[in-house]
Each structure stands twice: as C-alpha cells, then as structure tokens.
Amino acid sequence: MYAQIVKSTGEGVLSREEMSPEDRAFQDRIDAGEKIEPKDYMPEGYRKTLIRQIGQHAHSEIVGQLPEGNWITRAPTLERKANLLAKVQDEAGHGLYLYCAAETLGVSRDDLTEQLLSGKMKYSSIFNYPTLTWADMGAVGWLVDGAAIMNQVPLQRTSYGPYARAMVRICKEESFHQRQGFHIMMAMVNGTAEQKRMAQDALNRFWYPALMMFGPSDKDSVHSAQSMAWKIKINTNDELRQKFVDETVPQAEYLGLTIPDEALSWNEETGHYDFTEPDWSEFFDVIAGNGPCNTDRLNVRQKAWDEGAWVREAMVAHAEKKRARKLAAE
C-alpha cells in the first residue's frame, strides 16, 4: 500500500509517485521504521509539524505546573506537599527536555515562548480549567496524567529520534504521577462522606476536559493524516480516546465513583464502552482563548518571561565572555 501525505494546499493526497525523489527516499525511511535525526534530510512540512507538536507539548508541561503549584502549600500533609512538589519539578523537567528536542529542529525556546505568548502556539486545553479543591489534585493525576500517558507512550515510537528518546523518561515519570493521583482519590473515597463527595465532584468536572485532551474527533482533525503518514503520530485521536475510556471506567468503578455520562455502557459487540462525545464547541472555545483560566495562565507566563529577562541576558553575557576568553587563549 502506498503511503499518503496530505497536501498542504488541501487539494487531496500526495501519492508516492507525485513526491520528489528526496521526499520519496525520506518516506521510504519512515516506512522502514528508521529514526530521523536532526542532520538528516526532512521535508519542510515534517519539520514544521514537529515544531508545532513538540512546542505545544513543551508549553503544556510548563503551563501544567500552574494549577498544581497552586496547591503545594495547601496540601493536607507534609508527605503530600513533598510529593506534589516533586511532581511539579518533574513537569518543569519535561518541558526542558521537549524544548531541547525542538531546538534540534532549528527553533529556539525564546521563539517558542514568544509564539505561546502571542497566541500563535497553544497548550493543552485541560490546563485552562481551575483546580478548586484538594480532590482536584487526585483527578488531575489520575485522569489528566492518565490521558497524557495514553497519548505519550506511542510517541516513544515516533519517527523523530530526539522526540522519541525524550518521551522514554517522560513516560516513566508520568506513570508515577498517575499513581500518585489515583492514591489521592483512594484516600478521598475511603475518608469521610464529604471527602468522597469532593472526589466525585472532581471527577464530574474533569471527565470531559480529559476526553478533550486527545484532540478533536478524527473527522475534524486537520493534521492527523499527514502526521500518521510521517509516523509523528502513531494512533488517531479517537483510537486513543476510546482506549482511555476503556481503561478508566473500571478504575472509577473500583473507587466507587460514577462517570458523569448517562449513556455510558459496555458494548458486547464491539468490546468497548459506548460513551458520550465531549462538547466540541466548548473545546474549540477554550482553544480560542475563552476558557475559565486562559487569561490567568498566559498572564503568569508573561510575568515570568518579563521578570526573567535579566537572567537570560546575564547568561548570554556570561557565555560571550567565556567564548571571548577561549578565543584569546587560542
């Protein structure tokens, strides 16, 4: 079967015969399962697609610290404070790994940050929802990091080498984060009636935003076909969403919590759960900047960028002095 790539003009698909010799050789490497490295030939569309995906992934890790950082000082025990602090530190590290991977494609993290602050580049819609109670820390770890793992484990097999290698460590740490969240939910449901009510409320508010994390329905996803052909993505949005539902529903039942979906039911014929799709108008509204916390999140990032200017300038000046001394010694 011929590999197909969506034309950037939207006029259909580009068959192997229509590709240039360089692009055809590149696609042969992709189809053979080879990893593409920074100095290898790659089509410009491949590079731009990676920059968009890795950049948005990096921004999501950094912005994702904000709703959790808000609870570090308010966590109920010293152990919970230490665990949450470690998790937030992990997320910062994930962002740095991913910015480094993006830099191998010829874009600086300053450029990526400026694109975020200008609205040209997005981050995961889930981080535009508030964390109102301690139970939300459980829901975020269990559901949000659970959805992230579902998205990211296949990326360990993505075709771009630096991205694939960064995902190995990230996925190991995200697995810990999910277990941490589930442990919080276990404690809540086995606590007082009020604590169990808080856990159910957190599940109610984060269930559909978590389903939205996989991106729009396949029929509305404008980048999926090309990303799949280049093996930047391994699974479609709907495939991953279904897998997440199938794995999470039994976990909710174990916790004694109810998924907020009256239409949820096991389908013997398909071997999967039938479920209600998210409200995609809400998803696109949040992505457009109209979510509950969009403005707050970007304001915090803008403040950090402005207040960190002197650090960046000092580091550049120090690097230039070191370079000058090295040249003088030669």
Side-chain angles (χ1 to χ4, degrees), residues 224-237:
S224 284
Q226 185 165 348
S227 293
M228 294 283 287
W230 279 330
K231 295 186 181 178
I232 294 174
K233 285 180 63 173
I234 307 300
N235 302 96
T236 70
N237 298 349

Side-chain angles (χ1 to χ4, degrees), residues 47-63:
R47 189 183 75 86
K48 288 181 176 180
T49 299
L50 279 169
I51 289 173
R52 184 187 69 249
Q53 181 168 324
I54 299 174
Q56 292 180 356
H57 190 169
H59 295 326
S60 298
E61 299 284 357
I62 299 300
V63 176

Side-chain angles (χ1 to χ4, degrees), residues 48-64 94-95 98-99 102 105 107 109 111-113 115-116 119-127 152 155 163 167 213 215-216 222-223 227 233 283 287:
K48 288 181 176 180
T49 299
L50 279 169
I51 289 173
R52 184 187 69 249
Q53 181 168 324
I54 299 174
Q56 292 180 356
H57 190 169
H59 295 326
S60 298
E61 299 284 357
I62 299 300
V63 176
H94 298 173
L98 292 163
Y99 285 134
L105 294 160
V107 60
R109 67 187 67 185
D111 290 337
L112 293 173
T113 301
Q115 289 184 55
L116 168 69
K120 293 179 181 178
M121 190 171 278
K122 305 296 183 180
Y123 54 88
S124 180
S125 60
I126 191 74
F127 300 121
Q152 294 172 9
L155 292 176
Y163 193 21
M167 293 313 305
M213 285 180 65
V222 297
H223 301 296
S227 293
K233 285 180 63 173
F283 170 77
I287 289 295

Side-chain angles (χ1 to χ4, degrees), residues 231-296:
K231 295 186 181 178
I232 294 174
K233 285 180 63 173
I234 307 300
N235 302 96
T236 70
N237 298 349
D238 288 341
E239 287 173 349
L240 293 172
R241 193 171 6 257
Q242 182 68 64
K243 186 177 180 182
F244 174 76
V245 172
D246 290 345
E247 292 194 10
T248 306
V249 171
Q251 295 170 5
E253 292 174 348
Y254 180 81
L255 290 169
L257 298 176
T258 302
I259 299 292
D261 182 356
E262 294 182 358
L264 183 73
S265 63
W266 178 254
N267 188 321
E268 290 287 352
E269 185 175 336
T270 65
H272 298 289
Y273 282 96
D274 293 332
F275 62 95
T276 303
E277 288 277 315
D279 180 354
W280 291 116
S281 63
E282 176 184 330
F283 170 77
F284 288 111
D285 198 39
V286 172
I287 289 295
N290 301 315
C293 299
N294 286 69
T295 300
D296 290 342

Side-chain angles (χ1 to χ4, degrees), residues 26 43 69 130:
F26 175 83

Side-chain angles (χ1 to χ4, degrees), residues 1-9 11-28 31 43 225-226 229-230:
M1 179 178 179
Y2 289 132
Q4 295 179 325
I5 298 175
V6 177
K7 287 184 179 177
S8 60
T9 57
E11 297 173 355
V13 296
L14 194 65
S15 71
R16 188 178 294 273
E17 286 78 10
E18 293 176 294
M19 297 178 192
S20 68
E22 293 85 357
D23 287 355
R24 189 157 53 244
F26 175 83
Q27 190 66 50
D28 287 340
D31 294 342
Q226 185 165 348
W230 279 330

Side-chain angles (χ1 to χ4, degrees), residues 129-193:
Y129 292 87
T131 47
L132 304 177
T133 71
W134 172 248
D136 288 7
M137 293 298 94
V140 167
W142 172 38
L143 299 176
V144 176
D145 291 308
I149 291 169
M150 205 69 69
N151 262 319
Q152 294 172 9
V153 166
L155 292 176
Q156 295 175 98
R157 306 192 309 276
T158 193
S159 60
Y160 188 57
Y163 193 21
R165 291 188 288 273
M167 293 313 305
V168 174
R169 179 168 179 174
I170 290 174
C171 287
K172 288 179 180 178
E173 293 177 350
E174 292 290 4
S175 179
F176 163 75
H177 299 166
Q178 184 189 29
R179 291 196 299 273
Q180 179 181 333
F182 192 79
H183 189 265
I184 292 173
M185 296 300 275
M186 282 284 292
M188 297 293 288
V189 299
N190 288 301
T192 65

